[in-house]
Amino acid sequence: MKEHSSATVLERPAIPQKMSVGVWWGLLGVAAFSFTVPFTRVAVAGIPPLFIGSGRAVVAAVLAAAALALTRQRLPRRGTWLRLALVAGGVVAGFPLLTSYALTAVPAGHGAVVIALLPAATATVAVLRTGERPATAFWLVMALGSLAAIAFAFLQSGGVGHLQWADLLLLGAVACAAVGYAEGGLLARELGSWQTIAWALVLAAPAMLVLAVVSVLSQPPSATPVQWAAFGYLAVVSMFLGFFAWYRGLAIGPMAQVSQIQLLQPVLSIGWAALLLREALTWTTVLGALAVILCAAAAVRVRLNRPAR
């Protein structure tokens, strides 16, 4: 018998070490984002949705410009600005504005589960952009999670024929964020995670400032300290700091699988809405949350095939 011939070979982990790092960064980002929907619901009670969507971007842009200046970051290359514009249009302008208007009409729990479609949309855009080739099982569990979110939206709205206009805004927000997340994840591999969202914020700042001024002139905010505190969280964490971890997780990847971590976000958001806003937890909400969390866990464990060249 040769030396070490009796040694046992350890079974390979379900989540490779490198992927697990991306998953943990993704979880940190999702934890930060999970307060976005409940706090937006709090803020819109006293602050116009146009100001919430644009004003939070302006505040975050000031922080981003300061961080870029203090660390003496070089300007991105000329060809990178168009890609940064996609990120800015998706996560700096599109998602915040559309969700702010939608949450004036629907509860935070409802909005959170409809937004659970975002991981599926992000994975689809990521596959188109990166050439990643998820296994068939990945698409199956992702589809199950998406169907659970769609069924929830229909049930809460009274049926397929009674889908609310707010749901259409939420679906538009999902499409915007999917493009911004996927492109931002790719840029994070070149520019860095926080640098990507910082440059996107700076690029969008002039347009967001104009919208914020228009909002103040047409309807000045009259909010309570609690509502301003919620706005502050949206500006500092949801619009800036949360992306540090989220884009880092997507950059480490695989992007299609790390994006599925965000299926946990509606579960956390629903919990915060029940705890902070006293929103009732219905059986449909609980079942929908359980379905997406199980699908998120299954999607992360599915391994990727080799990316197409």
Side-chain angles (χ1 to χ4, degrees):
M1 181 177 293
K2 297 182 180 180
E3 187 179 2
H4 303 307
S5 62
S6 62
T8 58
V9 179
L10 295 178
E11 187 175 338
R12 297 179 67 181
I15 300 177
Q17 184 178 2
K18 185 178 179 181
M19 189 200 303
S20 67
V21 175
V23 167
W24 283 113
W25 279 110
L27 281 172
L28 182 59
V30 165
F33 293 150
S34 66
F35 288 94
T36 300
V37 170
F39 282 171
T40 301
R41 182 67 175 170
V42 171
V44 294
I47 305 175
L50 179 60
F51 184 83
I52 293 174
S54 58
R56 64 192 260 191
V58 173
V59 173
V62 173
L63 298 176
L68 291 169
L70 289 173
T71 57
R72 298 182 179 181
Q73 297 293 316
R74 293 183 178 180
L75 287 172
R77 292 176 298 179
R78 182 179 301 178
T80 305
W81 287 105
L82 180 58
R83 298 171 64 191
L84 284 169
L86 289 176
V87 177
V91 301
V92 177
F95 185 83
L97 288 170
L98 292 174
T99 53
S100 296
Y101 277 103
L103 289 171
T104 62
V106 296
H110 180 97
V113 179
V114 175
I115 292 174
L117 291 169
L118 180 53
T122 303
T124 302
V125 177
V127 167
L128 294 175
R129 284 287 289 117
T130 66
E132 292 178 357
R133 296 170 55 190
T136 303
F138 170 84
W139 293 111
L140 290 176
V141 294
M142 186 191 72
L144 288 175
S146 302
L147 287 174
I150 294 172
F152 171 84
F154 286 152
L155 289 173
Q156 293 293 301
S157 302
V160 176
H162 299 85
L163 198 63
Q164 302 180 42
W165 63 269
D167 289 313
L168 299 178
L169 293 180
L170 290 170
L171 292 174
V174 165
C176 289
V179 174
Y181 284 166
E183 196 62 45
L186 289 174
L187 279 173
R189 297 172 180 174
E190 304 171 18
L191 302 178
S193 56
W194 73 267
Q195 292 93 334
T196 297
I197 187 60
W199 285 118
L201 285 164
V202 169
L203 181 61
M208 293 296 100
L209 181 59
V210 170
L211 291 177
V213 171
V214 170
S215 176
V216 170
L217 293 177
S218 61
Q219 187 180 356
S222 57
T224 64
V226 172
Q227 291 162 350
W228 279 118
F231 174 81
Y233 185 93
L234 296 174
V236 177
V237 180
S238 297
M239 194 80 267
F240 189 45
L241 297 180
F243 282 97
F244 286 27
W246 181 240
Y247 275 157
R248 183 170 178 81
L250 290 176
I252 294 172
M255 195 181 299
Q257 284 177 294
V258 174
S259 68
Q260 300 310 293
I261 295 297
Q262 204 166 33
L263 278 171
L264 301 178
Q265 185 172 326
V267 180
L268 295 174
S269 296
I270 289 168
W272 300 133
L275 182 64
L276 301 176
L277 307 181
R278 307 295 182 185
E279 290 187 3
L281 285 176
T282 64
W283 279 109
T284 54
T285 302
V286 173
L287 291 176
L290 288 175
V292 295
I293 194 172
L294 289 175
C295 290
V300 171
R301 293 179 65 88
V302 176
R303 297 185 182 184
L304 288 177
N305 296 328
R306 292 182 179 180
R309 292 185 179 179

